[in-house]
Amino acid sequence: MIRLSGGVNDYENVSLSGNIDKDITLFKTIFSRDDVVRIREVRIAGVWRCCLIYIDGMVDSLQQGETVIEALVKYALPENTALNCDYISKNILYANEISETDKLTDMLRAILCGDTVLIAQNNKSALTIDTKGWKTRGINEPDSERVLQGPREGFEESAMSNLALIRRKLLTPDLCIEMMRIGRRSDTPVFVCYLGSLADTATVKELKHRLCKIDIDGILDSNYIAENIRDHRHSILKTTGATEKPDIVAARLLEGRIALVVEGTPVVLTVPYLFSENFQSDEDYYVNFTLASLSRMLRWLCFFIAVSVPGVFLALITHHFDLLPTNFVISVSRLRTGVPLNSTAECLALLGAFEILKESGLRMPQNLGHALSVVGGLVVGQAAVEAGIISAPMLIAVSLSAISGLMVPRLSGAVIYLRLINVIACAVLGIYGYLIVSTILVLYVFNLSSFGVDYTVSFSRPDSQHLKDIFIRASWTKMLTRPVFNKNRIRKGDEQ
């Protein structure tokens, strides 16, 4: 029994009968509630019946008319010729890509992907003809990964276009691309990309195993997959990389990583993912290594400031006044005079206000977002200080933390949680709370993994080569090896 509400795989045991009338009825039944599916009958040489099945709006009508319909109608069939799919594909049609199949699931997938399916009288197989013609967004620079120097190409929603962009960066037959389909109803194509001579075979096998275990109705974005394959699903630190730029994907493939390209989204996943990658920027490798190293060290410092400053400041002014200079204590006490909230409530309120302003700025149109940030951050903040609702020192501490957090966008979610945890711990235990949270965080990070690779593998083996792309970016002449999870660690030169 055919289930009309299921996915493509529900028709795995159904096949064509060879009777074109029954086969047309079969397709009409499958797409009975889809008014954009077109079923057009034509005759070859005015005699032989065949039928074209396609989705209006997903095919290139001009290409279909010239290479398929016109070729079929105008063909002069020689006498005593046995007409079958093989003969039609080799002698009649002009399309670039034609394949023959007797599986109904393949026919349905072809139709749903924008191809045209041709069935003919007395044939139990059909032809799938490449006639895709829908419009795509085009290649643009991703707004979230803009660079001042370097490639500005970005992925789009078409997986085939994205694979072509990756292939242009890596002109080698060593690039392996394997397709899987995930989603009971969406049947989304997912492509596993890696360099065969570099990617670890066990990691590739493990990734495919986790992909096969995904059981979900549909995949609409790569994050659907990321949440299902990551090692630690409830971790505030992500263990799968994500990018919209083909040059970043190519660079990670060259380091032995694996990329996942998903149909319908411009975001490509990469695994394994290391903690040090959170502080790397693609622009680091397109400018002089001395400037890149300075930026890299600033990101590490800003991460420390973003998660520490509000909590440490709160601990000092509430539990450890004796550790501060006398003049500073007097100044803070004077500025807090008349503030209705205690220090803890004041800090939490400011953190909440800054997060609201940040989210509002991101969701608003670009021009309005900038205006909202200026008005909210300067005008409202200054007015609140002058009105005595909040104190200036706390506003400075929280603002410094919020601005520093913008330097590490890949850790934006983790920064919010860690900053809040530090504030609560410092409010209760003072500076000892901060030390306890920091110790737990370090142990937690060192306990994470990404597809069997230690999340902090670069720190656990602190030799000169491992440290040349963590806190600084060494020159290309000095970076001789790839990460430890590669089959071949030698990036340049001969193995020592």
Side-chain angles (χ1 to χ4, degrees):
M1 180 179 178
I2 300 175
R3 293 181 295 160
L4 296 177
S5 61
V8 171
N9 290 328
D10 292 334
Y11 304 94
E12 189 172 358
N13 298 322
V14 182
S15 58
L16 298 182
S17 65
N19 185 309
I20 193 168
D21 292 317
K22 291 183 178 180
D23 294 337
I24 291 175
T25 302
L26 173 63
F27 281 100
K28 286 183 177 179
T29 302
I30 294 173
F31 295 106
S32 60
R33 289 174 287 180
D34 194 336
D35 294 333
V36 297
V37 174
R38 303 290 180 253
I39 299 177
R40 176 176 176 176
E41 291 190 51
V42 297
R43 290 181 182 270
I44 302 175
V47 178
W48 292 93
R49 291 179 64 193
C50 63
C51 182
L52 302 175
I53 306 161
Y54 59 94
I55 297 179
D56 192 11
M58 295 190 69
V59 300
D60 185 335
S61 300
L62 181 61
Q63 177 189 352
Q64 185 190 60
E66 292 179 349
T67 63
V68 181
I69 297 176
E70 185 177 353
L72 292 171
V73 173
K74 292 185 176 181
Y75 183 74
L77 187 67
E79 294 182 3
N80 301 322
T81 301
L83 190 66
N84 52 43
C85 289
D86 183 64
Y87 183 90
I88 295 173
S89 64
K90 292 180 179 178
N91 298 278
I92 301 178
L93 299 179
Y94 302 144
N96 291 330
E97 185 178 343
I98 305 173
S99 60
E100 183 177 351
T101 180
D102 58 357
K103 296 180 179 180
L104 184 61
T105 53
D106 291 341
M107 302 175 202
L108 295 178
R109 286 188 176 117
I111 294 170
L112 296 171
C113 288
D115 292 336
T116 298
V117 168
L118 184 149
I119 58 175
Q121 179 66 41
N122 301 325
N123 280 266
K124 292 186 177 182
S125 60
L127 295 178
T128 60
I129 309 164
D130 183 11
T131 55
K132 299 180 184 71
W134 64 79
K135 295 184 181 297
T136 58
R137 179 166 55 93
I139 299 174
N140 298 304
E141 183 178 10
D143 291 333
S144 59
E145 296 180 83
R146 292 187 178 274
V147 295
L148 298 177
Q149 185 173 332
R152 287 174 169 76
E153 291 178 325
F155 290 125
E156 57 177 54
E157 283 69 21
S158 172
M160 288 301 176
S161 298
N162 296 341
L163 292 172
L165 290 173
I166 297 173
R167 176 72 73 179
R168 286 174 53 194
K169 301 289 183 182
L170 300 172
L171 302 177
T172 170
D174 191 38
L175 178 60
C176 305
I177 301 176
E178 302 177 18
M179 188 187 78
M180 305 177 65
R181 289 185 177 271
I182 304 176
R184 292 193 300 267
R185 288 175 172 80
S186 68
D187 203 41
T188 306
V190 177
F191 298 87
V192 181
C193 308
Y194 59 93
L195 291 174
S197 62
L198 297 181
D200 181 62
T201 305
T203 305
V204 175
K205 184 178 180 180
E206 176 64 19
L207 174 59
K208 292 179 182 178
H209 175 68
R210 296 187 189 184
L211 291 174
C212 290
K213 290 174 62 178
I214 297 177
D215 185 16
I216 191 173
D217 269 355
I219 300 293
L220 304 181
D221 183 75
S222 56
N223 188 62
Y224 285 56
I225 294 177
E227 290 189 11
N228 281 279
I229 65 173
R230 58 187 303 191
D231 292 54
H232 308 270
R233 297 186 180 181
H234 303 291
S235 172
I236 60 175
L237 298 170
K238 61 180 184 178
T239 53
T240 56
T243 181
E244 294 184 43
K245 299 196 66 179
D247 56 303
I248 297 180
V249 173
R252 290 178 179 172
L253 291 178
L254 288 170
E255 290 191 337
R257 291 177 171 83
I258 310 167
L260 280 178
V261 181
V262 182
E263 179 67 43
T265 175
V267 180
V268 174
L269 303 178
T270 59
V271 294
Y273 187 77
L274 306 182
F275 181 68
S276 58
E277 291 185 64
N278 293 310
F279 302 92
Q280 296 173 356
S281 170
D282 50 325
E283 198 169 14
D284 289 350
Y285 305 94
Y286 304 139
V287 298
N288 185 273
F289 69 94
T290 55
L291 297 177
S293 298
L294 178 60
S295 298
R296 183 81 59 84
M297 289 186 289
L298 279 175
R299 292 186 206 112
W300 282 95
L301 176 62
C302 286
F303 173 70
F304 173 77
I305 293 174
V307 301
S308 303
V309 167
V312 171
F313 180 74
L314 180 63
L316 291 175
I317 65 174
T318 55
H319 295 277
H320 308 286
F321 263 118
D322 51 329
L323 297 179
L324 296 172
T326 303
N327 292 335
F328 183 79
V329 172
I330 295 173
S331 178
V332 171
S333 301
R334 178 175 54 83
L335 292 173
R336 280 198 50 78
T337 302
V339 175
L341 300 175
N342 61 43
S343 298
T344 303
E346 181 186 14
C347 184
L348 292 174
L350 279 174
L351 288 175
F354 270 103
E355 291 304 321
I356 292 172
L357 286 172
K358 186 177 72 173
E359 288 297 317
S360 300
L362 291 174
R363 303 292 177 261
M364 295 287 287
Q366 187 172 5
N367 294 334
L368 293 178
H370 293 322
L372 178 65
S373 300
V374 173
V375 172
L378 297 179
V379 179
V380 176
Q382 182 64 28
V385 171
E386 291 180 356
I389 300 175
I390 59 175
S391 63
M394 186 63 75
L395 177 62
I396 293 172
V398 174
S399 300
L400 178 61
S401 172
I403 294 172
S404 298
L406 300 178
M407 284 285 289
V408 281
R410 293 174 182 169
L411 288 169
S412 58
V415 165
I416 295 173
Y417 286 107
L418 294 175
R419 184 162 49 203
L420 180 60
I421 293 171
N422 267 325
V423 167
I424 295 174
C426 290
V428 177
L429 301 173
I431 201 68
Y432 302 106
Y434 173 75
L435 295 176
I436 293 172
V437 170
S438 299
T439 302
I440 294 174
L441 175 62
V442 171
L443 295 176
Y444 175 72
V445 171
F446 273 84
N447 191 48
L448 293 177
S449 63
S450 177
F451 284 83
V453 178
D454 289 340
Y455 198 43
T456 55
V457 66
S458 302
F459 301 98
S460 60
R461 302 185 182 183
D463 57 71
S464 59
Q465 283 300 316
H466 278 93
L467 298 176
K468 286 181 179 178
D469 198 25
I470 300 179
F471 300 105
I472 62 171
R473 200 278 279 182
S475 66
W476 284 114
T477 58
K478 301 296 183 181
M479 290 197 290
L480 306 179
T481 62
R482 299 184 182 92
V484 294
F485 48 80
N486 282 262
K487 284 183 181 178
N488 180 8
R489 289 200 58 209
I490 306 303
R491 176 181 274 123
K492 59 179 295 185
D494 298 325
E495 186 171 2
Q496 300 298 322

